[in-house]
Structures are given as structure tokens and as C-alpha cells.
Amino acid sequence: SQELEQSPQSLIVQEGKNLTINCTSSKTLYGLYWYKQKYGEGLIFLMMLQKGGEEKSHEKITAKLDEKKQQSSLHITASQPSHAGIYLCGADRSASKIIFGSGTRLSIRP
Amino acid sequence: GAGVSQSPSNKVTEKGKDVELRCDPISGHTALYWYRQRLGQGLEFLIYFQGNSAPDKSGLPSDRFSAERTGESVSTLTIQRTQQEDSAVYLCASSPVGTDTQYFGPGTRLTVL
């Protein structure tokens, strides 16, 4: 099983609607990262969360890390076609190991 | 089956030395990516190879960094005249044709003293 579980695996959302993607770990997260990936491109860094309860926003994307630092959510408000892609969460498991979730494929329906 | 492998897993070098990092992608994967993650920061995209097309080098931070890939096989990332700010975990990922799912290797931790 994955150390980082993402849900849902795929999501189709009507343009303009809100959506949430979750990333859950059985262990405390130290450094939780959200990335976006489009076909044929490298991962794009979105946000990093480190403190329990921390919340960060960038344009219409908000990410939160829960108080226990075991779950993070990524929320997109008023989705647009440009939001389509794969969203990946990542975490530092140790000083030399980085782990990733399985990804959530987001499609935006016009 | 075998996943993406990288070597070495750890590398300690002195400032000014050259280092070479290796990535063995999953067999048959046409796309290969290099990233680095410095302490406390997110992944930085470095370079992308897709088949025999010219690589996307837009993420390479300086001309001290270069990467090669022969066909759809092994890739090497070379850092010349290493600096302390090059210290990071260097990650490689590969993707099969027709999909954008990236499969990551375990990374190489580079420490420049």
C-alpha cells in the first residue's frame, strides 16, 4: 500500500465548480508538498505545508494541513480548464527519502 | 517488475569537483525527467527527455548542469564544479508513451562540502 494515499484517483468536474483532493498518511508528515503535472511537462510545485493547521492559497487553489499533520487537502474554487491535470502530493519521509501519493487526475468539463 | 533505479544513493563530494548521477528508467518508458529537491523546498524541474526529440532543458539552473540520454535508456546528470548550493536530493522519473504518469526513482542525495 502507498504511504501517501490520495483520493479520489480521478475527478471530472463541471467548469466553475469547486473541488477537493485529499492526501492522507498513517504517519506524521514533515513537509507536505503539492504538485501539478500536465502531459509532457515536468511537475510544477504548487505549495509546501509544514505546520499543523497551516493553510496556504495561490490564486484559486488552497491547501491545508490538519492539526495532526497526517492529512492535507487541496481545494480549487471555481475550477477552470487550466486546472486540468494530475495533482500529486509528496512528503519528506526522511532526510534522503521523498515519497509521493498516487496522484489525482482532474478533468474539467466545459 | 523493476522500477526506476538511481545510483549512487548517496554522494558526498568536495566543492569544485564534478559528479555524475545515473538514472535507469523503467524499460520501454520513452519520457525521462530529472528533478532536484533542496532541503525544505519543493521539487525543481531540471530537464525532460522524450524519445529522440530535443530535450527540454529549461529547468537547468546553470551551464554547470548537463544531462544526456541515449535513446530510451539510461540517463546521466552531470554537475561540473559543484557548489554547496547544489546539495540536494536528485530525483529521476520516467513515463511510458501516451501517459503522463511519472514513476519516480529513489533519488540520489548529493552533499557538497
Side-chain angles (χ1 to χ4, degrees):
Chain A
S1 63
Q2 296 262 144
E3 287 195 54
L4 285 182
E5 294 284 344
Q6 268 187 254
S7 62
Q9 291 185 338
S10 65
L11 192 56
I12 301 174
V13 173
Q14 186 76 35
E15 183 177 352
K17 297 293 186 183
N18 303 336
L19 63 106
T20 300
I21 299 168
N22 293 302
C23 178
T24 304
S25 172
S26 57
K27 301 178 182 178
T28 301
L29 298 166
Y30 297 100
L32 186 286
Y33 308 85
W34 282 101
Y35 302 94
K36 180 185 175 185
Q37 181 192 342
K38 287 189 172 182
Y39 181 70
E41 300 179 16
L43 290 178
I44 300 167
F45 171 69
L46 296 176
M47 276 171 275
M48 179 179 74
L49 304 166
Q50 288 184 301
K51 301 177 182 176
E54 187 174 9
E55 177 176 324
K56 287 186 177 179
S57 294
H58 176 68
E59 297 179 344
K60 294 185 178 180
I61 301 176
T62 300
K64 301 178 184 179
L65 183 61
D66 75 343
E67 290 290 344
K68 292 185 179 179
K69 296 171 66 175
Q70 287 187 272
Q71 182 170 7
S72 178
S73 60
L74 185 83
H75 185 76
I76 298 177
T77 304
S79 57
Q80 300 170 355
S82 60
H83 288 130
I86 294 178
Y87 289 81
L88 200 68
C89 65
D92 296 322
R93 179 55 75 221
S94 69
S96 59
K97 184 177 180 182
I98 301 164
I99 59 172
F100 296 94
S102 53
T104 296
R105 182 180 298 276
L106 173 63
S107 301
I108 306 297
R109 193 169 57 217
Chain B
V4 178
S5 60
Q6 289 185 244
S7 61
S9 55
N10 278 285
K11 176 71 177 179
V12 180
T13 190
E14 294 180 346
K15 179 181 173 181
K17 300 286 187 183
D18 297 351
V19 295
E20 193 172 277
L21 311 180
R22 177 187 170 112
C23 172
D24 283 85
I26 294 172
S27 178
H29 281 196
T30 56
L32 187 146
Y33 306 79
W34 280 100
Y35 301 90
R36 74 175 177 184
Q37 180 168 339
R38 290 188 279 193
L39 188 65
Q41 300 182 24
L43 285 180
E44 285 178 75
F45 166 74
L46 297 177
I47 189 169
Y48 162 56
F49 295 91
Q50 175 61 273
N52 294 317
S53 302
D56 176 358
K57 302 181 181 180
S58 59
L60 294 178
S62 78
D63 58 8
R64 296 187 294 105
F65 287 72
S66 62
E68 292 185 352
R69 187 185 187 196
T70 304
E72 296 179 358
S73 61
V74 170
S75 176
T76 54
L77 177 70
T78 302
I79 308 173
Q80 295 178 311
R81 305 181 302 281
T82 52
Q83 303 295 313
Q84 288 183 334
E85 62 262 29
D86 298 336
S87 297
V89 175
Y90 288 81
L91 282 163
C92 171
S94 68
S95 291
V97 65
T99 179
D100 43 13
T101 301
Q102 294 187 27
Y103 297 80
F104 283 84
T108 294
R109 170 161 287 283
L110 174 66
T111 302
V112 182
L113 302 176

